[in-house]
Amino acid sequence: MALVAVGQLTSTASMANNLRQCQILVKKAVQAGAKALFLPEATDYISSSAEESLSLVKPVQESEFVLGLQEEARRFKLPIHVGVHEPSSQTSSQQRIKNTVLWINEQGEIAHRYQKIHLFDVDIQGGPVLKESQSVEPGMKIEPPFETAFGKVASTICFDLRFPEIGISLRRQGAEIITYPSAFTVPTGQAHWEVLLRARAIETQSYVIAAAQVGRHNEKRVSYGHSMIIDPWGRIVASVGEKADEPEIATATIDLELVKKVRAEVPLRRRTDVYPEV
């Protein structure tokens, strides 16, 4: 068993300030005795426009934010799972970026990377209009789970949460912990955040770790918060809530024996002879 921390903060267009917030979260995680820290989607920055985002994005080897987190991971021997932006590898007339998540191991090395495959295009009556596909390049593959000291971890990002197929595929590949770093809007968060996270935990019989952005990022964006960790039975075992006055963590113990118990007691034998395998 191992204690892990899920973090919550309010990222802005200032990567220096966002790094300072993350350093606070690292310190809190270390003081709590956590063996890893999970941070939200787009922790490096949240911009007010696609143009501003393009002006801010840097390769990870040049990003003061990523380099700073790598130094924190090395200094405290604390692995960090974090959402960032990266430049697109595609060459086209339309400039776009990648929405990715990185696993920085305790040596400060980037040991895993996943690029968001489902992009957030919504137009909610009385709520925000967001078209992520206009400026973000979609990922093209699900990355397999990777080994950690506390279990096999699999990565997804935010809007991926609405698609159960990705979690089921990761479970089939051996995932014991599935992450959903996010920046949910307030209307969608109030309606769907908790219920979707609990559903993903129950249907995959895995721990779900969901680090969330919270509060007002700029004049256009407000995030819901409520970072949480859910066990394989669907119970919320750690939650931050909607506090936005300072960066905060919540911690929970990952118990792989519980994963085995739930999967043994309620075996999910999918009838792929009747319906297609996802």
Side-chain angles (χ1 to χ4, degrees):
M1 294 194 291
L3 193 75
V4 300
V6 62
Q8 183 163 287
L9 75 161
T10 309
S11 292
T12 66
S14 169
M15 283 191 278
N17 184 59
N18 299 336
L19 178 58
R20 284 193 291 271
Q21 292 189 77
C22 289
Q23 289 167 336
I24 293 170
L25 292 171
V26 167
K27 184 176 293 186
K28 290 184 176 185
V30 171
Q31 290 173 344
K35 301 304 180 185
L37 171 63
F38 291 81
L39 297 172
E41 175 185 32
T43 299
D44 57 342
Y45 67 82
I46 290 183
S47 64
S48 57
S49 68
E51 293 75 21
E52 184 179 33
S53 185
L54 283 166
S55 73
L56 291 170
V57 69
K58 294 180 181 180
V60 293
Q61 64 271 22
E62 300 174 16
S63 167
E64 59 269 32
F65 177 85
V66 175
L67 292 171
L69 273 192
Q70 289 179 282
E71 176 58 30
E72 292 292 295
R74 276 192 296 270
R75 179 184 302 146
F76 295 103
K77 300 291 187 290
L78 180 75
I80 301 171
H81 189 267
V82 59
V84 301
H85 302 84
E86 297 186 70
S88 171
S89 55
Q90 296 179 352
T91 55
S92 68
S93 58
Q94 182 185 15
Q95 286 188 295
R96 296 201 286 181
I97 61 174
K98 297 178 182 179
N99 184 336
T100 64
V101 67
L102 309 174
W103 175 253
I104 303 171
N105 64 23
E106 63 182 16
Q107 287 79 42
E109 302 162 343
I110 296 173
H112 164 86
R113 174 186 275 102
Y114 164 73
Q115 183 179 349
K116 186 178 184 180
I117 63 175
H118 298 105
L119 301 183
F120 187 54
D121 285 4
V122 298
D123 185 349
I124 299 170
Q125 185 176 2
V129 177
L130 293 168
K131 302 292 182 184
E132 191 175 22
S133 63
Q134 292 179 355
S135 59
V136 176
E137 170 195 322
M140 298 304 294
K141 62 179 180 177
I142 299 170
E143 297 294 340
F146 57 94
E147 294 280 358
T148 73
F150 49 86
K152 293 180 180 177
V153 175
S155 298
T156 76
I157 299 174
C158 200
F159 202 54
D160 290 333
L161 176 60
R162 294 184 180 273
F163 301 86
E165 295 87 350
I166 185 171
I168 293 169
S169 175
L170 291 166
R171 155 71 196 273
R172 186 179 296 113
Q173 295 178 62
E176 296 162 316
I177 301 145
I178 303 177
T179 70
Y180 292 93
S182 297
F184 255 54
T185 68
V186 173
T188 57
Q190 290 173 336
H192 302 146
W193 174 245
E194 180 184 322
V195 69
L196 284 171
L197 290 170
R198 294 183 70 192
R200 297 296 85 87
I202 293 164
E203 71 198 4
T204 64
Q205 299 175 313
S206 303
Y207 279 93
V208 159
I209 301 178
Q213 293 277 354
V214 68
R216 181 165 293 279
H217 310 285
N218 51 52
E219 70 280 2
K220 298 179 181 178
R221 281 287 291 277
V222 181
S223 290
Y224 179 62
H226 295 267
S227 297
M228 62 181 68
I229 301 173
I230 302 170
D231 78 8
W233 195 244
R235 294 172 293 217
I236 298 171
V237 292
S239 179
V240 178
E242 57 186 18
K243 291 169 55 179
D245 52 336
E246 65 174 294
E248 195 53 83
I249 67 165
T251 61
T253 299
I254 301 297
D255 182 359
L256 296 184
E257 289 303 312
L258 177 61
V259 176
K260 293 177 184 177
K261 179 176 183 291
V262 170
R263 293 178 179 184
E265 291 180 349
V266 187
L268 300 180
R269 300 185 181 95
R270 288 187 162 79
R271 289 291 307 275
T272 53
D273 59 322
V274 176
Y275 50 82
E277 186 173 8
V278 295

